[in-house]
Each structure stands twice: as structure tokens, then as C-alpha cells.
Amino acid sequence: MSQSATPHLETVSHMIADIQSGNRRTLSKAISLVESSLEEDRVLTEALLEAIVPLTGKAKRIGITGSPGVGKSTFIETFGLACIEKGETIAVLAIDPSSQSHGGSILGDKVRMPALARSEQAYIRPSPSRSTLGGVSNATREAMLLCEAAGFTTILIETVGVGQSEVEVRSMTDLFLFLTLPVAGDEVQGIKRGIMELADIIFVNKSDGDLQDFAEMAKSQIQSALTLMHSPTEDWKVRTLTGSGLTGHGIQELLQLCSEFFVHPSPHDHAIQERRIRQNLEWFEMSCRRELIHWAETQDSFRNAKLKAEQDIINGNTVPSIAARSLINTHLHSD
Amino acid sequence: MSQSATPHLETVSHMIADIQSGNRRTLSKAISLVESSLEEDRVLTEALLEAIVPLTGKAKRIGITGSPGVGKSTFIETFGLACIEKGETIAVLAIDPSSQSHGGSILGDKVRMPALARSEQAYIRPSPSRSTLGGVSNATREAMLLCEAAGFTTILIETVGVGQSEVEVRSMTDLFLFLTLPVAGDEVQGIKRGIMELADIIFVNKSDGDLQDFAEMAKSQIQSALTLMHSPTEDWKVRTLTGSGLTGHGIQELLQLCSEFFVHPSPHDHAIQERRIRQNLEWFEMSCRRELIHWAETQDSFRNAKLKAEQDIINGNTVPSIAARSLINTHLHSD
């Protein structure tokens, strides 16, 4: 990719050296580049990303989801600090589909996780709140690679449970952690089965004070629901834990479970590697589709015929699905 | 569109005459054609659809959604029969995303709505349970046009509230009706706000027997939640009703509200027409994307380079988003 001749080769190698040496400012600047919607930034971004490929892939990639109100921020703060005590360094990224429309419901700043934000071993990056060239999830994937190049050993990607965002986070992480509230009875039915099926570990958060009994009931109900589901990860048995981000209860057990998940060699170790390859192929497929649409819009004959077809549709003279097929078969140059 | 020379022109005009004369068998056969995944069926389908364009667009298009357990079948049966008493003829179509994977949770047969199924004035078509060339929602849009050509005055399109299916049904109907259960309190929070925002009318179903008090509470809570939302239809105030598909309570009020919605001329009448144009443009856009992807896969140079790029991705030598951009810019023939 070189619209302009060899883009800023020196800039790129300087930035990489800075990122590797732990310079947060350069890391932030690089992530801003991947989030940019400007074509000229894209040239630099691609040079940068291609150069760091060998430095990537070494972190544990953990996705975290749960409805608003489940205590995600407090949980991530406690969990992140506990990981740091075990010697990890943590980058926290977010995918927040709502941030596109109304400025973000995941607060981007350090307010949500003050202690984690102060730690030298942690880096917290808010979800991009503007449109990016390849969409939010593409920017988050690329940001993850940059954080890996910066040497972070664990990447936490959080999302609010809205729309397709859990599916996107699942599609870029190794381990997917689902936080839920200590509610029992019929309400457990309310937990979206679709999300539970994505999770490797389910953590019943806010299991503290008066809610501990409910939490145990919720846990056993979830466990019985799980018996009807497949694990998303080969050779991994989905586990449910109760605990509390607020009191720290259950966090050590959760860490223990996470290290079981990531231990090498393990029966499901190859499953993680295979999943990453599958994830990269999906990422490629999505990117192809996006770029293909972008490319077609730049073809004059296609673009003009498309405008004409749209006019026919506005006038009610044609069936949209037929107009589309005719447009593509007539106005693109085939081999 | 003519891969083969003038496809079965006589067949097409015979089929149209049969469909217009009320022949259900031919209508069913035509809908099977739009659901087909065979290229040769597509040629006939397109000839048929293009020929019926002038016969379409006259029905009231009503979408109906609600979670499993809300009593959708019983409701549609009662509502459909009440519409028929007012002189309407009813076609019931379905979009059921789950039918793709495990054979359908909306029962396709007449078992669910026995009285409606027996009526001369109704036609019930199950959701396609196999993959179709343009996807389920494309097939349902095309089936709707066929039902309009057959003279049905109201098309009901139902969906289970799974994934994106409500959004799809909203995107092909004039009026969107959301069924919910008579639950009050915190559980109302559980009603997905995203779905409520799509609805023109909310019907608290199963408001019968002991549940009537709960239903009124649920109604007033929903109404207060609605004050914070925008109506999906210009110049239309979203309304909440309680009622019961089982006892018929509330169904006449609902019919009254529906005719208010569709009355001509009304302040929001142009809104319905504008929405249909917008919906057709969206349908066109979606179809363009689908056909574009299909077209690219048939280009030899592109397909071969894509296979090579996939190998690079499997070997971990490149960033998928960059590989995609390079592939498209290098291996398609530009103007």
C-alpha cells in the first residue's frame, strides 16, 4: 500500500522504538492513527501495523461483557489490579456501539477505574467516539496489535451488551468472560442465551452482602442451563463463579481459572491458536467486504448507473433486488 | 436480466393471471421460486417480479414482534380474523432467523393458527427454512410483493425477537406492532429499549384473568418510558394498549388504532410513502452489497489472490485489514 512513496519510513521506525520502550504517548498517538478516518493517516497506519506484526500475538486476549448496571468498571479495576499483582501488564480497550451515536456510555476517561488508571502497569484506552475508516471493531483489533507490540501481557476488551458488540468482542479474544447479576428464578431466563453461549467463564458479580444467597441460586441455575449448551472453546468446560468486584471476593478463583485456560501446553492450547487463525480469516473477510463496497463506489460507470437505478426505485419502476443484480452484472469490469 | 433467452414469457403471464385470480397454489409456487437458491429459478423469478411491479404496493404492511411466550400465534389468529370481519384479506409471512439453523421455531404449518388457516380470506406462509439466494429477508420482501399482486389487503410479517430480525421486519413494513407481557416493575426494564423504539403500537398481550392489574401497571410504565423516546413514524404518537389474543379483549381498539394509522389522507400519510421509498433504497443497497460480493468471488484474478492472502493470514505474515485493502486495490479492474 503506497499511495505516496514510502511513507515516512523513519517516522515509523521511531514510533515503533518508542512504543516498545513503553512510551504511552506514542502508543496513544498510534492508536489515534488507527482510529483516524483520513486516507493519508491510513498510509502511515498500514506501514506501522505491517512493521509490528512480528511483535504481536503474545498477549492473553480477554473479552468482558455484561449489561449496564452489572458493575463492569469496578470489576475491571479489581480484576486488573489482581492481574498486575501476579506480574501482568494490562491494556484495557473498549467496544461501545452507542459511542457512535451519542458520545459513549462507557466513560472513556480515568474516572471509572481510578486505581487502575494510576498504575504504571496499566493502560486504559476509551472506545473511539467518532467514525473510523474501517469501523469501530476494526480499529479495536488494530489497537490490540499495537498494545501487544507495546508489551502488554493481557488485553482486556470490554463491551456493553448492546447489539452485535458481544459477538464482535468474542471474535477478537481468546477468553470471553460474561458478568451477570445475582438474580435467580425466572429472571435467569432473561439472560440472553445467545450471550451465554459465547462465554468461557460466567462470573456472578455483586455477590456480596445480602445478595450472596441469591448469587448461589443464580449460579446453580446458570450451571444447569449450561448443561444444554456447547462450550465455545474446544476442550474447555465452561465454569460459573460467584464473586464481587467491590469486595474482591471470588477474584483469586477467577484468576486461577483464567490461568488454567491459558496454561501451556494444555489440551485446548491448539484450540486457542486455531481460533486466532479463524478470527483473522473472519477479520479479513469483513475487511474485504468493506473495501469492496468502497472500491465499487469509486468506479464511475458503476456509480452513475447506481444513481440512475436509485431514481428508478424512487419512482417505483423496479424491484430493488433485481435492479441491484442488473447493476453489478452490467457495470463492473470482469476478467 | 436474461442469462437464458427471454425466460418462459408465457409461463410468466400464466402465473400472473393465476395469482391475480386467487389461485393459492400458484402463489405458493411463486413464493417457492423467490426462496429458491438455484440460479435458473432466479431468471424466472425476476421476470415474474418485474411483471407484477404495477400490481404491488397497495396493501397495509404490518410487522409483528414479541419474545417467545408472548402469545404471538394466538394473537395473530384473533387479530387476523378481526381484520377479515372488517373486510380485509390477510397474508401472514414470517422471518425466523432460527429456522436457518435448526428447522424453525415458528411452526410453519397451519397448527398454530387453525381458524385463520381455514379462512378463505387468509393465506399463511411459513418462513423459508433453507438458505435462499438473497437471504431470508430478501425472500420475504419478494414474497410480500407476490401477496400484494394476489390482492391481499393486509400483509402481516411476524418475527421472533432474535438477533436483527425485528430491525429487518421494521425495514419492510409500514406499521410495527410490538407484543409484550403484562409484567411490571424492574422487569419492564428488561424490555429491550432498542425494540420499543421501533414500535408504532405496543400491545400488552395476555391481559386477561388475574393479570389485568399487572397489565395496567405495565402499560403505564411503558407509557412513561415512551415519553423519553422518539416515534419511529413522523406525525404519529406511539400508543400502548392492553388486551388479549385469547379472549379478544382490546382487539377492536387495536383495529381502530391501526385504521387511524393507515387512514388517507392523514398527516403522516406522506410519512408512510416516504418510508417505503427509503425502505426500497435500503433494500437496494443491501442487495448491491450481496451481489457485489458474489460478483467479486467470480473474478479469477481476485479469487486466486484472495486464496493467497488467506494463506499469508494463516501463516501470520500480515494484518488482515491491510491484506484486504491491498487485494481489492490490486486485483479488480477499475474504470
Side-chain angles (χ1 to χ4, degrees), chain A residues 23-40:
Chain A
N23 185 326
R24 297 294 165 82
R25 210 150 167 186
T26 311
L27 176 60
S28 293
K29 193 178 149 200
I31 295 180
S32 296
L33 272 176
V34 308
E35 291 170 358
S36 167
S37 58
L38 300 173
E39 277 290 337
E40 60 263 36

Side-chain angles (χ1 to χ4, degrees), chain A residues 1 3 39 42-43 45-47 49-50 53 133 138 142 145 163-164 187 192 277 279-281 283-285 287-302 305-306 309-311 313-314 316-329 331-335, chain B residues 1 3 39 42-43 45-47 49-50 53 133 138 142 145 163-164 187 192 277 279-281 283-285 287-302 305-306 309-311 313-314 316-329 331-335:
Chain A
M1 295 314 314
Q3 265 88 337
E39 277 290 337
R42 192 65 202 165
V43 178
T45 304
E46 295 201 346
L49 289 172
E50 293 217 287
V53 167
L133 254 194
N138 192 66
E142 293 180 350
L145 297 182
Q164 285 294 95
E187 290 153 88
K192 281 192 273 172
I277 289 174
Q279 289 176 337
N280 277 336
L281 289 171
W283 180 11
F284 177 62
E285 194 61 43
S287 304
C288 281
R289 290 171 180 220
R290 190 186 62 238
E291 295 293 340
L292 189 56
I293 291 158
H294 178 73
W295 170 83
E297 297 286 347
T298 65
Q299 304 303 304
D300 287 336
S301 153
F302 178 87
K306 193 176 175 202
E310 284 168 353
Q311 203 51 57
I313 287 161
I314 290 167
N317 296 331
T318 183
V319 180
S321 52
I322 300 178
R325 202 163 118 118
S326 163
L327 170 68
I328 270 91
N329 289 333
H331 292 279
L332 292 175
H333 300 282
S334 292
D335 283 339
Chain B
M1 294 310 314
Q3 265 88 339
E39 276 291 336
R42 191 66 202 164
V43 177
T45 305
E46 295 201 346
L49 289 172
E50 293 217 287
V53 167
L133 254 193
N138 192 66
E142 293 180 350
L145 298 182
Q164 284 295 95
E187 288 154 88
K192 280 192 272 169
I277 289 174
Q279 289 176 337
N280 277 336
L281 289 171
W283 180 12
F284 177 62
E285 193 60 43
S287 304
C288 280
R289 289 170 181 221
R290 189 185 64 237
E291 295 293 340
L292 189 56
I293 290 158
H294 177 74
W295 170 83
E297 297 287 347
T298 65
Q299 304 303 305
D300 287 336
S301 154
F302 177 87
K306 192 175 175 202
E310 283 168 353
Q311 203 51 57
I313 287 161
I314 290 167
N317 296 330
T318 183
V319 180
S321 53
I322 300 178
R325 201 164 119 117
S326 162
L327 170 69
I328 271 91
N329 289 332
H331 291 279
L332 292 175
H333 300 283
S334 293
D335 283 340

Side-chain angles (χ1 to χ4, degrees), chain A residues 61-65 155-158 169 173 175-178:
Chain A
R61 301 168 176 178
I62 301 179
I64 299 177
T65 192
I155 318 285
L156 302 181
I157 304 185
E158 65 165 319
V169 171
T173 53
L175 188 164
F176 197 57
L177 179 58
F178 175 52

Side-chain angles (χ1 to χ4, degrees), chain A residues 132-157:
Chain A
T132 74
L133 254 194
V136 174
S137 85
N138 192 66
T140 304
R141 286 168 197 268
E142 293 180 350
M144 177 164 71
L145 297 182
L146 290 166
C147 290
E148 289 185 335
F152 290 98
T153 59
T154 294
I155 318 285
L156 302 181
I157 304 185

Side-chain angles (χ1 to χ4, degrees), chain B residues 205-220:
Chain B
N205 197 29
K206 297 196 178 175
S207 303
D208 45 42
D210 295 344
L211 291 173
Q212 289 194 46
D213 289 351
F214 289 104
E216 291 305 321
M217 276 159 62
K219 178 182 163 181
S220 68

